[in-house]
């Protein structure tokens, strides 16, 4: 089954900050702003869930 996608809007300044970040740190392997945002969202959800489990 093909993946489906949804759009998420972020401020233009944040978009360009992320774009510059992934270009500056290309060794991290992010190929796009979307890839970075997906990874960041997953990591943040894991961090919050870990914190909630330890409360």
């Amino acid at each position: 089954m093909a993946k489906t996608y949804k759009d998420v809007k972020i401020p233009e300044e944040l978009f360009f900050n992320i774009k510059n970040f992934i270009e500056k740190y290309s060794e991290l392997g992010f190929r796009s702003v979307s890839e970075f945002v997906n990874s960041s969202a997953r990591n943040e959800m894991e961090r919050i869930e870990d914190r909630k489990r330890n409360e």
Side-chain angles (χ1 to χ4, degrees), residues 25-37:
Y25 299 105
S26 60
E27 71 274 10
L28 296 175
F30 293 106
R31 296 169 293 177
S32 68
V33 171
S34 292
E35 188 177 290
F36 179 87
V37 170

Side-chain angles (χ1 to χ4, degrees), residues 5-55:
Y5 295 88
K6 297 290 183 185
D7 292 333
V8 176
K9 295 183 186 299
I10 62 172
E12 185 175 55
E13 181 179 3
L14 178 57
F15 175 89
F16 286 113
N17 285 343
I18 295 168
K19 187 174 186 305
N20 291 334
F21 180 87
I22 63 177
E23 288 171 358
K24 181 177 180 180
Y25 299 105
S26 60
E27 71 274 10
L28 296 175
F30 293 106
R31 296 169 293 177
S32 68
V33 171
S34 292
E35 188 177 290
F36 179 87
V37 170
N38 285 330
S39 176
S40 297
R42 283 188 198 99
N43 289 339
E44 183 66 4
M45 288 187 298
E46 287 176 12
R47 188 187 70 77
I48 291 169
E49 286 179 340
D50 287 345
R51 189 182 68 200
K52 289 293 194 182
R53 277 192 289 271
N54 294 322
E55 285 184 350

